[in-house]
Amino acid sequence: MSIVGTRVVRVEDHQLITQGGTYVEDLRVEALTGAVHAMFVRSPVAHARVTVDASAALEAPGVVAVYTAADLDLAPHKAGPVVEPWLADGVVRYVGEPVALVLTEERYQLADAAELVDVDYDPLDVVASIDAALSDETVLFPDQGTNTLQTTGGEFDDKAFDDCEVVVTKTILNQRVAPAPLEVRGAACAWGDDGRLTLWLSTQNAQISRATVAKGLGVDAKDVRVITPDVGGGFGAKIGTDPESVVLGWASKRSGRPIRWVETRSENLVAMTHGRAQQNTVTIGGRRDGTVLAFRLEVVQDAGAYPRTMFLPTLTELMATGVYHFPKVETSSRAVVTNTTPIAAYRGAGRPEATAAIERAMDLFAAEIGVDPAEVRRINFIRPEEFPYTSPTGASYDTGEYAKALDKVLEAGGYAGLRAEQARRRESGDPVALGLGIATYVEITGGDSGGESGRLLINPDGSVTAYTGSSPHGQGLDTTLTMLLSDQLGVPMERITVRHGDTDEVPRAIGTFGSRSLQLGGSALRQAADQVIDQARALAADRLEASPDDVELVDGAFQVRGAPASGSVTWAQLAEEAELTADVWFGDGSPTFPFGAHLAVVEVDTLTGKVVLKRIIACDDAGPIVNPLAFQGQRHGGLGQGAAQALLEVMNYDADGNPTTATLADYSFVTAPELPDFELVDSETPTTRNLLGVKGIGEAATIGSTPAVHNAVVDALSHLGVRHLDMPTTPLRVWQALTEARKAN
Amino acid sequence: MKVSIEINGTTVSEEVEDRTLLVHFVREQAGLTATNIGCDTTSCGACTVLLDGESVKSCTVLAAQADGHRVTTLEGLRGEGGDLHPVQRAFREEHGLQCGFCTPGMIMASVSLLDHNPKPTRQEVRDGLEGNLCRCTGYHNIVNAVMNASGQEVQR
Ligand code: FES
Ligand code: FES
């Protein structure tokens, strides 16, 4: 029986549960002997002119160097249309922006020395919100003349909604959140006698990091080696490398010392990129029978102080219509800069925002016409016979069974019974209201149009070494790829090693993000294994004196088809004879479109505003499942993180641009008692766009769960006159919404 | 100052600064790096170890306070002959970890939880692990792992 599709415990885990992983901070390699410790001095104010005096710090015990912008001789680097300095150069633009780098002999000397760096901050007017940015009263980059640094779409038809019986419009805030992987950012680096830099980095992507660092330092990419040790979570925020890594590489060269760097959690919360931060205005119109005729989405992306990642708002536009077939669709986006931490990818990156907007819009429309939200969705779904389907915004969906996914979760959740229970509570005046939230979603995975590398080698003893360009950090991809190869090659799992994350071993790769690893990295290794099997079959044919076409691979040995008695040849025998290896690039790169439906059940205490998430029932269809254990784990994690955004997570700033949630004591990380047991419903709709038929699962459940939970909270309050409230649905927000609704009634 | 701590059965004596935290002593002086640091506010639990058998967040204890006491870290959990502790085994069987960064602290907190309550309900497990954050798993399988380790039914 094939191992693929069975629940296999992870090969990664033994080390992790007995010795812990080897994260950057755990490295005890020889090249780092005598390494100095590094700390960045970061701005405590949002917008100011700065002058730095390092002289006192240089006298402090153990200080090896203090570097500022004046010392750096690196070419400037761009963030979108503007220059983002490596270290603040004359002006700081957000709390947390690096101003100076301190190197000391001992770790405990860092904070003392950093305190002695004398920075004079001469305050400038602060742009702390999207509204302030749009007003252009204060402009962050005077050269640009405006805070709006990217605009797309927006050719709107005044008559777009003329045929509609009902039109609803609403501005929906998709709040800023912190990716906050449990392992903060860290790096270590050392220059070798050969003039090459080795950089150990907590990143999702060694190869892109190498390119960024080499470019930043102005050296050839072959002179930089990036190694990712174990990585304690990334969630999109560790896709590439941040400016800090370039500065560290430069400082190591300048000081002639290896360097270790790890930030603190408080630093991480203000200085690692944040996610979401969109303000989305939806206009939805249609007939009273539930048919939607027109939809408009206007995205405003808060890009933070430096517009590092401008694809988020356009990806939101691309996925704007979700799982629905709407006759008329219009979108636009703007990205504005503010005096806040830069925004970049966070689990889902652009798609959760699109889904949150359309799924909230569907509920607003359903409420307006008085039709059940499940029914309104059914009426407007793209139907199975319409695939492949090109959406009005240009996305080419491969396969989908949207109505089936919704029906499955509604049945598994007992939707009719829950609605009856809701009505009963309402009638009896129960102060604890029940809310049901639905979200049906489609997600784009491998959407970067790139491929991935895969290299395979049969060792002389018949064991297998595989090199993948993907770079997992908790997804269990080692196990998944090992299972696929074991199945394909007939070699036991313990004889297969998967290697990744070292640019000397895997020079060409795109890496792990956008839920691309299995569909692209897995397909690459499938292709490499196919080639190696062909090579082996030719060799075996010689030995068995048969035609290669008549030779087949059975249980890890080659034999003549239909004549097993005539002998067989093992992988080891063949690998001794000749090199069996293949190095491929799986370049198809067409994205795939996983989909699903989530049903959330919440209880809201209408006296206190407290929301309790009681149940989440989820159907997440990403095609064939290789390892149900890892697949479910990805869904669990996504459900937890997505629900957390709806319920409690937010990165807040005051009007002066001071972050008010800059420690884990203030930033509401979701904990075990706040989440329910997850109820998973399975469904597998394959794609034809890669060799495995698989789609990505890493982000899917995050995308569906946020609007499901959000919709559930609003639904709980709907009988009291609440139509909408923004996330996170904290007790205060709920209570305020109830108070306003009561006043209006 | 000189500090002597028995860590996983071996006494480690080192001269350290007064302000040295237990977590740094364990990682740097004893060279045991499984215990991780995830925050600076005693919020995440990644640094959880057992101090005289009770779970503590080792980022909030001075090495000096542990002077003369007994500390157990993840590395010290395996039995004679290298057998996995039931909690270690259960985390693997139930996929109670993804990136693994929270895992040493999570396992130590779970060991302590089961010491005090050998047959917890799922809710008691959730409440008992409130001080330990995990960003990857959504906690479902962590709860399963603790239930499994206590010989109770899991919900896959
Ligand atoms: S590092 Fe000790 S609680 Fe976070
Ligand atoms: S497994 Fe990654 S933080 Fe828990």
Side-chain angles (χ1 to χ4, degrees), chain A residues 10 17 19 23 25-26 107-108 112 178-179 264-266 474 629 633 636-637 649 670 672 675 677-678, chain B residues 19 21 24 27-28 34 38 40 88 93 95 97-102 122 126 135-137 139-140 155-156:
Chain A
R10 300 198 315 176
I17 57 169
Q19 303 295 313
Y23 304 96
E25 221 192 341
D26 302 335
R107 167 204 304 276
Y108 275 38
D112 298 341
T264 64
R265 173 59 61 184
S266 317
L629 171 116
H636 288 162
E649 280 192 37
V670 73
L675 291 173
D677 293 327
F678 302 123
Chain B
R19 57 181 170 172
L21 299 172
H24 285 134
R27 290 179 52 86
E28 309 299 334
D40 38 37
Q88 287 174 308
E93 275 174 16
H95 189 29
L97 63 152
Q98 291 187 21
C99 80
F101 198 81
C102 71
R122 288 184 79 84
R126 286 185 181 278
R135 195 59 161 169
C136 301
T137 62
Y139 303 103
H140 183 111
Q155 284 179 25
R156 280 187 183 151

Side-chain angles (χ1 to χ4, degrees), chain B residues 57-76:
Chain B
K57 293 181 173 177
S58 62
C59 69
T60 320
V61 177
L62 291 169
Q65 291 174 284
D67 189 25
H69 292 264
R70 195 163 44 85
V71 167
T72 311
T73 71
L74 182 78
E75 293 98 328

Side-chain angles (χ1 to χ4, degrees), chain A residues 109-177:
Chain A
Q109 294 163 340
L110 280 173
D112 298 341
E115 200 125 286
L116 293 173
V117 177
D118 186 13
V119 189
D120 183 48
Y121 295 95
D122 183 9
L124 294 165
D125 287 343
V126 172
V127 180
S129 66
I130 284 176
D131 284 345
L134 287 172
S135 81
D136 277 337
E137 262 168 44
T138 297
V139 174
L140 252 63
F141 298 94
D143 291 1
Q144 300 290 319
T146 170
N147 292 316
T148 301
L149 297 191
Q150 177 178 284
T151 310
T152 62
E155 311 258 304
F156 292 156
D157 172 6
D158 290 344
K159 299 187 168 35
F161 294 86
D162 282 3
D163 297 336
C164 299
E165 292 168 10
V166 175
V167 178
V168 190
T169 188
K170 189 90 213 163
T171 295
I172 298 168
L173 192 72
N174 205 300
Q175 83 272 26
R176 173 189 289 257
V177 291

Side-chain angles (χ1 to χ4, degrees), chain A residues 448-512:
Chain A
D448 57 301
S449 310
E452 194 49 272
S453 67
R455 183 156 63 90
L456 196 77
L457 178 70
I458 311 287
N459 300 304
D461 64 355
S463 66
V464 178
T465 309
Y467 299 86
T468 174
S470 298
S471 199
H473 35 281
Q475 294 91 337
L477 191 71
D478 284 5
T479 305
T480 306
L481 295 177
T482 304
M483 288 171 69
L484 283 171
L485 290 172
S486 172
D487 189 55
Q488 197 184 353
L489 301 170
V491 174
M493 283 185 65
E494 27 332 323
R495 306 266 291 153
I496 301 174
T497 309
V498 174
R499 301 192 53 90
H500 56 81
D502 178 341
T503 58
D504 275 8
E505 283 185 355
V506 184
R508 217 160 58 103
I510 293 189
T512 290

Side-chain angles (χ1 to χ4, degrees), chain B residues 80-112:
Chain B
E80 313 241 316
D83 292 351
L84 293 182
H85 186 282
V87 174
Q88 287 174 308
R89 181 189 45 74
F91 265 74
R92 181 155 146 248
E93 275 174 16
E94 298 303 332
H95 189 29
L97 63 152
Q98 291 187 21
C99 80
F101 198 81
C102 71
T103 310
M106 204 59 96
I107 289 180
M108 299 316 284
S110 301
V111 167
S112 167

Side-chain angles (χ1 to χ4, degrees), chain B residues 36-40 42-47 57-60:
Chain B
N36 290 324
I37 301 170
C39 73
D40 38 37
T42 321
S43 307
C44 76
C47 63
K57 293 181 173 177
S58 62
C59 69
T60 320

